[in-house]
Amino acid sequence: MASQIAKVLLSLDAEAVGSLKEGVNFKKSPEDGKCYIIFKSSNDLKACKNQCKHQGGLFVKDVEDLDAMTVKCTKHNWKLNVSTMKYVNPPDSFLQDELEVEVLDDGGVQLVELSPVDPWMADPREPLELQEGEVKVTYLTHACMELQLGERRFMFDPWLKGPAFARGWWLLHEPPADAMDRLCGADLIYISHMHSDHLRQALPMLLNIHTKNYCYEANVDVFPDSWKAEFIKNERKKLLNYKATLVKSLQPRIYCPFAGYFVEAHPSDRYIKDTNIKNSAEDLNALINKLAPAIKTWTPQPGAVLDLGLALRDPTSSEAIINPPASAKLYKDSWEFDLYVNELNSAIKSDIFKHQSWIQFYYTWAGFQNYNLVVRVIETDDEFKCITDGYDYLVDFLDLSFPTKRPDREHAYLEIKNRIGVMRYVVLHGCLWDDLYIGFQNRVSRDPDVYHHKFWKHFQAELPLCKPDWEQFRKQVSTIDESTIPLRDTGMGNNCALS
């Protein structure tokens, strides 16, 4: 079993401990300037690093918290209840990693980090030096790489063709011409996580795997363009510095940024493409080279091959990386939009949507309720303008009812505008709602401004594996009283702005 290392991060003498107030305390280490959070209760001390588990932002005092138990992240307003070390916004999500609080004989305390936390889980062995040609990595596109171990070939995260997240993401790089042949001939296909930009071409081979993607709530209509541009610019800069600092702290021998080579290429998403400007891999690697010159960085091109043995033995070797020939096409300039968008839009005219009772049937199938949230769903055109033949309805998830107006009780409220083709395709095929969110196929407004983790987790990860039984729906639709599914006024044209 591996030995466990205890590292003292912060020491407080008895006087400093006595000065701690009840509730949240921020303390900075005089040695390295890093900040820590200590929560003092009547008979206990809890402590953690001042670092949000989401994207590493710093916490500050939450002025809205009258009980002095929570702190708020400066990056995305996530909130942590330090008394329980649970995140409360989003609710029911993460637990913060705690530090050990060691009480000394003289009344002082030390904040101690144990590494590894569970030493019995580690079983290190002596590393063996890789030989030339023993391990080769070929970059194909986005997150797709081929790992060659001797005669065995493994394919990772095969998104090689078409869009991901409905019609929101399209490949930036042109995969090598033999990419599909490589996939079909692989000894093993590895999928790092269940996002459609990581497994699209694997789906036919893996039969009925249910993709489980993350989501973004894009409340983009609220702020002026100038504010958004400045906000995104600042966030990009902070994220660039955070990633480079993280790589420096981890000290890998070789670093390669990947899984970010996509573009919002469809003309209807031009606004997102122009607004959602991304950091480049070249900029990130340049900053890493500046902060940590000993780390070799690799900005891959489709078809480029890294010989890991050579690269580890001599990072400066020109033979460690073989780039594609100069004549190779690296970037896509066409994406067959109509083929894929027409497939999505074919769901619009499905006969199930002639009966408004599909709403009750669908959300009953989804199975989410007993949660005090009311959601208004509005079907729109590609410009997120309301359409006269689109549905506009409310779902009260407390009792899974469908009211004509918001209930009088106090409740959380979301309004979601969805492009009709994507929304109906998701409903018809029982897809997860990530296709709506990650690809920016909707617009969301919320009141209050709280992320409802249980709701989104259910619709992005916990829907039934089998799609709704629409044949059964068709058989029983004639016996369903359509008036039991009240609709809001759907004839509002372009005036149904999110409230």
Side-chain angles (χ1 to χ4, degrees):
M1 184 173 71
S3 60
Q4 190 176 55
I5 299 173
K7 181 180 179 181
V8 177
L9 302 180
L10 179 68
S11 297
L12 300 178
D13 57 26
E15 182 180 354
V17 173
S19 67
L20 293 174
K21 66 179 186 296
E22 292 284 326
V24 175
N25 298 265
F26 292 89
K27 290 292 181 181
K28 182 177 290 187
S29 169
E31 282 77 22
D32 57 15
K34 292 184 178 179
C35 188
Y36 303 90
I37 304 174
I38 301 174
F39 182 83
K40 181 181 179 181
S41 60
S42 56
N43 55 1
D44 191 23
L45 291 176
K46 288 179 175 285
C48 66
K49 293 181 179 180
N50 186 358
Q51 187 175 42
C52 181
K53 207 162 184 176
H54 178 215
Q55 286 191 359
L58 292 177
F59 288 109
V60 295
K61 182 179 179 182
D62 181 11
V63 295
E64 298 175 341
D65 175 32
L66 301 181
D67 297 324
M69 291 186 178
T70 64
V71 291
K72 181 169 65 174
C73 179
T74 55
K75 286 179 73 72
H76 300 102
N77 291 323
W78 282 41
K79 293 186 180 183
L80 171 68
N81 185 327
V82 191
S83 70
T84 62
M85 293 295 172
K86 294 180 179 180
Y87 284 84
V88 294
N89 182 24
D92 307 302
S93 52
F94 298 127
L95 287 174
Q96 186 76 344
D97 296 327
E98 291 191 55
L99 300 173
E100 296 293 320
V101 180
E102 182 180 326
V103 180
L104 305 178
D105 293 338
D106 61 2
V109 300
Q110 292 180 335
L111 305 189
V112 180
E113 182 178 41
L114 300 178
S115 179
V117 176
D118 300 321
W120 52 87
M121 299 295 289
D123 185 19
R125 61 183 180 179
E126 289 295 322
L128 301 176
E129 182 177 342
L130 290 176
Q131 301 302 308
E132 179 181 351
E134 186 176 354
V135 177
K136 290 184 176 181
V137 181
T138 302
Y139 171 78
L140 299 180
T141 184
H142 189 59
C144 186
M145 296 211 183
E146 180 190 69
L147 176 64
Q148 185 175 345
L149 304 175
E151 298 299 318
R152 298 294 184 182
R153 295 189 303 110
F154 302 86
M155 192 73 78
F156 291 74
D157 296 324
W159 175 30
L160 299 172
K161 191 176 180 64
F165 306 113
R167 45 183 277 195
W169 289 17
W170 305 79
L171 288 169
L172 176 68
H173 284 144
E174 183 71 47
D178 64 346
M180 292 298 291
D181 292 333
R182 289 172 182 253
L183 177 63
C184 293
D187 295 289
L188 180 145
I189 299 172
Y190 173 78
I191 299 167
S192 62
H193 58 289
M194 305 298 271
H195 290 180
S196 62
D197 63 317
H198 291 256
L199 54 62
R200 182 173 175 84
Q201 267 62 52
L203 281 173
M205 303 178 186
L206 300 178
L207 302 178
N208 191 23
I209 284 185
H210 214 58
T211 58
K212 299 181 179 181
N213 307 332
Y214 51 91
C215 68
Y216 297 123
E217 274 193 277
N219 192 4
V220 298
D221 296 326
V222 177
F223 302 103
D225 287 347
S226 59
W227 183 93
K228 282 181 280 192
E230 188 65 23
F231 175 81
I232 292 173
K233 177 182 177 181
N234 291 334
E235 287 298 299
R236 282 173 50 216
K237 184 176 180 179
K238 287 191 288 185
L239 188 58
L240 190 71
N241 283 284
Y242 168 69
K243 294 291 185 183
T245 304
L246 179 62
V247 172
K248 179 183 178 182
S249 68
L250 294 173
Q251 286 294 306
R253 298 279 296 281
I254 304 171
Y255 176 77
C256 173
F258 72 115
Y261 302 103
F262 69 92
V263 61
E264 300 91 348
H266 193 272
S268 66
D269 291 324
R270 183 58 184 262
Y271 172 78
I272 296 296
K273 180 182 177 182
D274 292 343
T275 304
N276 189 31
I277 301 172
K278 308 167 187 65
N279 289 314
S280 70
E282 291 82 0
D283 288 344
L284 175 57
N285 281 345
L287 185 55
I288 293 170
N289 295 153
K290 180 180 178 181
L291 296 178
I295 299 174
K296 179 179 179 61
T297 58
W298 177 32
T299 303
Q301 297 176 336
V305 181
L306 169 74
D307 187 311
L308 194 56
L310 288 178
L312 291 174
R313 188 179 309 160
D314 180 10
T316 63
S317 171
S318 60
E319 299 178 355
I321 296 176
I322 301 175
N323 284 317
S327 60
K329 184 178 181 180
L330 301 181
Y331 295 96
K332 293 186 73 67
D333 53 19
S334 63
W335 291 270
E336 299 180 289
F337 293 133
D338 289 346
L339 175 64
Y340 298 101
V341 175
N342 289 346
E343 171 64 20
L344 291 169
N345 288 341
S346 66
I348 296 175
K349 296 187 181 302
S350 171
D351 63 326
I352 70 167
F353 298 110
K354 296 177 181 178
H355 311 278
Q356 65 187 52
S357 53
W358 73 263
I359 301 172
Q360 182 179 22
F361 190 89
Y362 173 75
Y363 286 99
T364 301
W365 164 85
F368 183 74
Q369 59 182 323
N370 300 320
Y371 190 81
N372 191 23
L373 173 68
V374 177
V375 176
R376 178 184 176 189
V377 180
I378 307 167
E379 294 182 330
T380 74
D381 61 15
D382 277 2
E383 303 301 320
F384 298 102
K385 295 178 180 178
C386 296
I387 48 182
T388 55
D389 55 349
Y391 282 94
D392 179 353
Y393 56 89
L394 292 169
V395 184
D396 187 343
F397 285 104
L398 186 62
D399 58 1
L400 201 55
S401 60
F402 306 89
T404 57
K405 63 179 182 178
R406 290 175 57 176
D408 295 332
R409 71 173 192 278
E410 185 174 339
H411 61 275
Y413 181 66
L414 293 180
E415 287 190 4
I416 308 175
K417 286 183 175 180
N418 295 318
R419 285 174 169 164
I420 186 172
V422 180
M423 179 61 188
R424 293 196 178 183
Y425 188 90
V426 165
V427 168
L428 187 63
H429 296 281
C431 300
L432 299 169
W433 282 29
D434 337 318
D435 286 341
L436 295 163
Y437 291 129
I438 250 240
F440 296 103
Q441 299 303 299
N442 67 359
R443 295 293 182 267
V444 179
S445 179
R446 55 195 188 190
D447 179 25
D449 188 14
V450 174
Y451 180 77
H452 295 281
H453 175 75
K454 283 189 174 181
F455 170 77
W456 295 120
K457 181 183 178 184
H458 185 91
F459 279 91
Q460 70 181 10
E462 297 177 353
L463 291 178
L465 291 178
C466 296
K467 70 177 185 179
D469 187 351
W470 294 118
E471 288 305 315
Q472 179 63 29
F473 170 76
R474 292 182 177 95
K475 291 177 182 178
Q476 68 184 40
V477 71
S478 60
T479 64
I480 295 177
D481 181 3
E482 297 283 306
S483 64
T484 62
I485 317 296
L487 297 180
R488 294 175 59 91
D489 178 10
T490 58
M492 293 183 285
N494 296 337
N495 297 320
C496 59
L498 293 174
S499 60

